[in-house]
Every structure is written in structure tokens, then in C-alpha cells.
């Protein structure tokens, strides 16, 4: 199940990563493709524009050439004098020709000295010398065909936009120079056309003379400019004089662009079309933005949905995991509960048996002289003692042990045990205790805590045959802040015992709290240590957890509820002269005849006289019928009226009679302690019984003449009310 969950989570994580990376990769691919497409489209546009420019330029120069040819035809056989004589007529003709072509600003006929004989602008033409103009000088020496001149500013009195001259030589029949026919063409005309077709941002068009002079240019420059001889375009034109395409950074305006040039046939001119790289990039970026505008929200939505699905799935699995863990814990606690009921019942019967066996052995011992028999009786007593210890642990596990809970400072209590615990580990084990700086008050039976801690320390020691470290810590934890076992709410003290030992394998971890579960050799462990720990913390309304990693160690944590009550100080009151029992008449209430027989024997050994009743009802009858009873010793668990009910009646109606209650186990025992009754645990020894009876007798005397300074049974001194410490071997058969 866990593996399937992990696989689903991994799959969803994969989908989440793919939902981010795939669109990113697609986007990168589309952008790259888009860039190439935009570049190709731009190059196609440049080529188309260059064709349009060529067409246009050829048309213009065809018109110019035609005008020159027509003018030449008109004046072919005319001398300069004849031209001058017909100046007016010729002016009108030239004016007409110029007017027909919008690209032609003016038409001129110069004589050999550079003086305009006729022009299309004025009649008569002012006698101005133009012999310094390049379009004139170029033809003086030889016939060079059509000449395209520099861009010039008109010479006064003429004005208007700059122009460039396209001129041809006038020659006499013998070939000698007679003058020049020149057409003034407006670069503006070209630039106007270029502006019209150059609507795309970053468009670039120019008409360039072979020597690099920029005749016309779009975008327009406010100055005369030439391509530098070392510029990329000039170099390309020299290398491939007819046509070419290249990317360059313009030396004129510093912009990066792709250009394509073509030489106009029979003319010293190039048309150049181009596109700024920045404009092409901007176009591409606009496309990319478009992709992003659509792709980003869709991708973000996709990622969001998958992330949400992942989060929900994780939460679902976590919840399922928690539920399964809780179910497991519940099952485990139900199993332990059932085991507890079973063991509790067995322990109860066993206690009575032990009491009978132990008591009888003691009785026989008194009259036996044969050492062999005495040895056997002692062995019986030793076995009874072991049996007692076992039943006590079983009762602890089944939470039926009658405890003497006190409010104690946990830190101080563990500190007082430090020496005992340290002594129980071997020298190759480092032993450390960490305690809180502030007191931590818990209401528990300190003796049970001691048993639990000793067992945990011994378990840790046994798990480290080659040495290691044991760390015992006490700290405050809170369910609102720390992660505690699921069913714990509120403030707790955590007593943790950590070791660096072998660890507990997964297979046995579920079973370690079961009574008699042990992995130790027969005489090394009973398997009741952790059962006692479990019963102890559960009875204290706490919990116990085990974390372990095979080969690295284990950590057992006991959670005990913290109380606001102040820790009780150990009572300084000392029972002075517990009093004498001789002559005391005891009403023994016990339903088990064997136990009653042993108890009677004990009482008689104490010097008491015994009146027996087999149940509470009969005991009441006896009490009502006679007034010589000093003390009632009653079992708690009996059919019909319980010993506790009987004790209450006695206290109310016969306050002069002392009461001692006995119990093997009973859920009423704790109640009895709370109500202040004196209690002895079965199987009890003669000594324990004697102590308890004396204390009870003494208390009765004290009550009769308070104050005495001696302890009276009550909540304030439950340790006095409770007969014996539940330690192994603390109580034994009578001596
Ligand atoms: N700290 C630990 N490291 C490794 N195993 C442990 C540890 N504590 C308990 N165990 C395992 O849990 C089992 C049960 O422990 P538990 O204290 O209940 O009984 P025991 O130690 O075997 O006997 P007993 O405590 O009665 O002497 C042990 O036998 C051991 O296998
Ligand atoms: Mg143990």
C-alpha cells in the first residue's frame, strides 16, 4: 500500500515537473522557429523591396535618358549660336519635357565653356558659369556616356531642393567637345517613393553611386554622406559588384541591419534595400509575447491544478496513514487490554493461592525440625516470593495494581534514581541523565516509575553487549507544539530512555509489551518489564512509544500527564510506637476459606482473638450483635456487599472500630485508598499484616485523643495508608 502511494506521489511529481518543463521546451522551440521564420520573412521582404527599388530606378533613369536623348536630337545639327537664336523655342521644349517627368527638376544645355545656353527653368537663361560643376567637367576630356553627378545645392538665383545631375557630352561630328546636356534629378523624388514603400518599421532603402556617394536614402539623412571605403557594404560591392546580401553594422548611423544590393545595368548606381535587425527582433519578440500571453496562464493553470492534485493526494495519503496508524494503535491497545483482563483475572486467583501456599509453608516451618523438610519449605517460600513478584507485574500490566499516586517532581525523582540506574549498567556503557531546570509535577506512584526505569535501563544495557551509551531525559512536551501519540492531548512530561544498542526489529516491535514476551534466555528475562511500563503509564493516563532502528539503537518514551498541583513533600511524620495487638479482637471478613485460615493464623500469631465472617452481610450482623470488636480486617472483592461498602458502614456507625482492607486486585482498591482506608495487598506477609493492624489500632487511639502527631490514614499521606512498597521481594512470608 505504502509503495503504491509512493509511486502515485512520484508519478504526480513527474507530471508536475513535465507540466512546467514541457511547455518551457515547447516555448523555446517555438521561439527558435519563430525567430528563423521572422528572419526568413524579413529577408524575403528585403529581396522584394530591392526588386521594386530596381524597377523604380530603372524607370526614372530611362525617363531621364529619354529626355537627354530627345534634347540631343532637337539640337543635333545646331551650333551654339543657332541654339542661342532659338533659345526661346528651345526653352519651351525643354520646359515641356521636364514637366512630363516629375522626377526631372530641370533640363540644361551648356556650351563648351560651361555656360547654360538654354534651360527649362528660365528664358533667357542668366549668363552663369557652370564649368566648375562635376556633371560638366566629367565630359570635357572624353565621352564617358551618362554621368551621374554629386548631390548639389542649386546655384543662385536658382533655389529649391538639392539635386544631382545626370549628364551627357555634346560632341561635334568630328568628336570634339561642344558642351553638355544635363538633367537635374531630385533625390527627394526617390526618398518620397522610398518613404511610401517603407512602411514596415526598420525599413532601409538607398540609391548609392558606385563610389559610395549616398544619392538618396530612407530614412533620410540631414547631411550629405558617403559609404566609407572600408565599410562592409563597399567591400561587398567590390567583391561581388553585381549583387549581394549581407548583415552589417552601418558606419553611417551605427545600426545593425541586413541589406541586399543590386547594380543598375549600364549605370554607376546601386539600389540597396534592407531591414534593421532591431526591428526584426522586435517583430519576433512581439510574436514571443503572443505565445507567452496565451501559454503562460495556461501553463500556470496546469501547474496549479497538478500541484493542487499532488497536495490533495499527499494529504489524503497522510490522513490514510494516520488513520491506519491509529487503527493499528487501537488494535494493539485492544489486544493488550484483552491480555490485561486475562492476566488480571489469573493474577487475582494466583494471589489467593500464593497467600495460602506461603502462609501454610510458614505455618509448617514453625513446627518442623527436620532440616531437609525445612529446606523444602524455604524453597516453597522462595518460589512464592517469585510468584508474588510476577503477579505484581501482571497486575501492573493489567492496570489493576493498587497504586499510591503522589504528586512528585519528576526531575527530582529521576535524579534520586540516578545512582541506582548507573550502578545497574556495565562500565563500558556511558550513562547520562538530562533533567529540566524547572520542576515538572506529575501524579504517579514513584515506586512504579522506579521499576519502569530500572527495566528500561536494563533493557538498554542488554541491547549493548559491546558497550554504548544510555541517555535518560526528562522534558516537558505539549500536544499543541510537539508531535505526541495520537490520543494524547495537553501537557505531558516525557521520560525518554535512549540507547545505541542493537535496536528492535520490525517483526517483534508489536509484541514487546505483551506479558512474557522476551527474546532473552529463560533465566535472564521474564518478558514482563515492558508490560509493567505499559500498564504503569496507561494507569497514569499517559502513553509509551518505542522508536527503534536495527543496529542503531532504541528510544522508549513514557509520556506522563503534567499536573498543576504542587509536589508533595515526603512526610516527616514518623509512626511512634505502633501499639500492641495483644488482646485485640479482630473481625476477619474473608470469603475464601483457605485465605481465611491463613489470615486467622497470622492474627493469632499477632496475639489477636479472631471472629470470622464469610461475607460483609454476616460481618454487619456480627458487629450489630456484639460490641467487643476492636478492628475489622476485610477482603474487598466478595460476592454481595463489597469490603469497601462494609468499611464505609463501619466508619459511619462504629467509628471506634479500626478498619484494614485487603485486596488481591480490585478496581475498588484505588477508591478505598482515596477514601482514606488502610489497605494491604494480597498476598500479604505476617509482618505486613502486623504493621498495618498496629497502625490501625494506633490511629483509633490517636483519634480518641487528638492531636498526637502520628499519622492518620487519609489522602494527605497515602504512603502511610498503603501497606507495602510494590517492589519485588519487599514483602515476604512471615519470619
Ligand atoms: N532497548 C532495547 N533494545 C533492544 N531490544 C529491546 C529493548 N527493550 C526491549 N527490548 C526487547 O523487548 C523484549 C521485551 O522486553 P521486556 O523488558 O518486556 O522483557 P525482558 O527484558 O525480556 O525481560 P524482563 O524485563 O522481564 O527482565 C526484550 O526481550 C527485548 O527483545
Ligand atoms: Mg526488561
Amino acid at each position: 500500500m505504502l509503495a503504491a502511494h509512493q509511486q502515485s506521489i512520484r508519478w504526480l511529481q513527474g507530471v508536475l515537473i513535465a507540466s512546467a518543463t514541457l511547455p518551457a521546451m515547447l516555448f523555446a522551440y517555438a521561439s527558435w522557429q519563430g525567430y528563423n521564420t521572422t528572419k526568413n520573412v524579413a529577408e524575403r521582404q528585403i529581396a522584394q523591396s530591392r526588386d521594386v527599388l530596381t524597377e523604380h530606378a530603372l524607370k526614372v533613369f530611362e525617363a531621364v535618358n529619354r529626355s537627354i536623348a530627345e534634347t540631343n536630337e532637337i539640337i543635333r545639327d545646331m551650333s551654339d549660336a543657332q541654339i542661342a537664336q532659338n533659345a526661346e523655342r528651345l526653352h519651351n521644349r525643354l520646359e515641356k519635357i521636364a514637366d512630363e517627368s516629375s522626377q526631372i527638376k530641370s533640363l540644361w544645355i551648356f556650351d563648351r565653356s560651361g555656360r547654360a545656353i538654354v534651360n527649362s527653368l528660365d528664358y533667357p537663361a542668366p549668363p552663369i558659369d557652370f564649368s566648375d560643376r562635376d556633371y560638366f567637367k566629367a565630359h570635357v576630356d572624353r565621352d564617358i556616356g551618362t554621368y551621374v553627378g554629386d548631390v548639389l545645392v542649386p546655384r543662385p538665383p536658382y533655389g529649391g531642393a538639392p539635386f544631382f545631375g545626370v549628364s551627357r557630352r555634346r560632341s561635334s561630328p568630328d568628336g570634339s567637345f561642344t558642351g553638355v546636356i544635363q538633367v537635374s534629378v531630385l533625390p527627394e523624388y526617390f526618398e518620397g517613393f522610398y518613404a511610401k514603400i517603407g512602411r514596415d518599421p526598420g525599413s532601409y532603402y538607398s540609391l548609392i553611386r558606385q563610389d559610395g556617394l549616398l544619392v538618396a536614402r530612407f530614412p533620410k539623412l540631414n547631411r550629405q554622406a558617403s559609404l566609407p571605403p572600408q565599410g562592409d557594404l563597399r567591400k561587398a560591392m567590390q567583391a561581388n559588384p553585381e549583387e549581394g546580401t549581407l548583415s552589417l553594422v552601418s558606419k553611417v548611423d551605427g545600426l545593425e541591419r541586413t541589406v541586399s544590393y543590386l547594380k543598375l545595368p549600364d549605370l554607376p548606381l546601386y539600389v540597396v534595400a534592407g531591414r534593421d535587425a532591431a526591428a526584426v527582433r522586435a517583430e519576433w519578440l512581439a510574436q514571443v509575447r503572443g505565445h507567452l500571453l496565451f501559454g503562460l496562464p495556461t501553463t500556470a493553470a496546469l501547474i496549479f491544478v497538478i500541484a493542487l492534485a499532488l497536495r490533495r493526494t499527499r494529504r489524503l495519503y497522510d490522513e490514510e496513514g494516520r488513520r491506519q496508524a491509529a487503527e493499528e494503535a487501537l488494535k494493539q491497545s485492544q489486544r493488550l487490554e484483552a491480555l490485561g483482563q486475562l492476566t488480571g483475572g489469573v493474577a487475582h486467583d494466583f494471589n489467593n493461592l500464593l497467600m495460602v501456599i506461603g502462609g501454610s509453608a510458614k505455618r509448617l516451618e514453625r513446627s518442623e525440625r527436620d532440616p531437609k523438610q525445612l529446606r523444602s519449605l524455604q524453597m516453597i517460600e522462595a518460589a512464592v516470593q517469585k510468584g508474588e513478584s510476577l503477579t505484581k507485574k501482571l497486575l501492573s500490566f493489567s492496570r489493576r495494581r493498587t497504586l499510591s499516586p503522589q504528586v512528585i517532581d519528576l526531575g527530582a525523582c529521576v535524579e534520586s534514581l540516578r545512582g541506582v540506574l548507573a550502578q545497574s549498567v556495565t562500565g563500558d556503557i556511558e550513562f547520562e541523565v538530562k533533567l529540566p531546570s524547572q520542576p515538572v509535577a506529575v501524579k504517579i506512584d514513584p515506586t512504579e516509575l522506579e521499576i519502569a526505569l530500572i527495566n528500561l535501563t536494563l533493557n538498554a544495557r542488554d541491547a549493548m553487549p559491546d558497550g554504548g551509551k544510555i541517555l535518560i531525559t526528562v522534558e516537558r512536551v505539549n500536544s499543541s507544539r510537539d508531535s505526541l501519540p495520537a490520543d494524547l492531548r495537553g501537557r505531558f512530561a516525557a521520560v525518554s530512555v535512549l540507547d545505541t544498542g542493537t535496536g528492535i526489529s520490525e517483526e517483534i516491535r508489536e509484541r514487546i509489551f505483551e506479558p512474557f514476551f522476551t527474546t532473552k534466555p529463560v533465566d535472564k528475562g521474564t518478558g514482563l518489564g515492558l508490560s509493567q511500563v505499559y500498564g504503569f503509564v496507561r494507569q497514569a493516563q499517559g502513553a509509551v512509544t518505542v522508536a527503534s532502528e536495527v543496529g542503531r539503537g532504541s528510544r522508549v518514551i513514557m509520556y506522563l500527564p503534567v499536573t498543576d498541583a504542587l509536589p508533595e513533600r515526603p512526610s516527616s511524620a514518623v509512626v511512634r510506637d505502633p501499639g500492641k495487638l495483644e488482646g485485640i479482637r479482630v473481625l476477619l471478613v474473608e470469603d475464601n476459606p483457605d485465605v481465611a485460615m491463613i489470615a486467622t493464623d497470622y492474627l493469632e500469631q499477632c496475639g489477636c482473638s479472631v471472629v470470622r465472617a464469610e461475607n460483609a452481610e454476616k460481618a454487619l450482623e456480627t458487629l450489630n450483635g456484639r460490641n467487643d470488636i476492636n478492628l475489622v480486617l476485610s477482603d474487598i472483592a466478595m460476592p454481595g456487599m463489597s469490603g469497601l461498602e462494609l468499611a464505609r458502614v463501619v466508619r459511619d456507625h462504629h467509628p471506634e472500630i479500626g478498619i484494614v482492607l485487603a485486596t488481591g486486585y480490585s478496581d475498588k482498591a484505588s477508591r478505598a485508598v482515596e477514601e482514606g482506608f488502610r489497605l494491604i495487598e494480597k498476598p500479604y506477609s505476617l509482618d505486613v499484616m502486623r504493621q498495618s493492624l498496629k497502625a490501625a489500632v494506633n490511629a483509633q487511639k490517636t483519634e480518641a485523643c487528638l492531636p498526637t502527631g502520628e499519622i492518620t490514614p487519609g489522602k494527605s499521606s497515602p504512603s502511610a495508608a498503603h501497606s507495602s512498597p510494590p517492589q519485588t521481594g519487599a514483602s515476604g512470608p512471615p519470619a
Side-chain angles (χ1 to χ4, degrees), residues 523-551:
D523 52 344
K524 288 274 162 47
T526 59
L528 284 172
L530 287 177
S531 307
Q532 183 273 339
V533 172
Y534 174 82
F536 158 60
V537 292
R538 295 297 291 171
Q539 201 161 356
Q541 314 294 324
V544 56
T545 61
V546 178
S548 183
E549 208 175 311
V550 175

Side-chain angles (χ1 to χ4, degrees), residues 357-358 361 364 374-385:
I357 298 167
L364 287 173
L374 275 173
R375 176 84 196 105
S376 299
L377 288 170
Q378 278 159 3
M379 279 166 68
I380 293 174
E381 282 171 40
V384 167
Q385 272 187 23

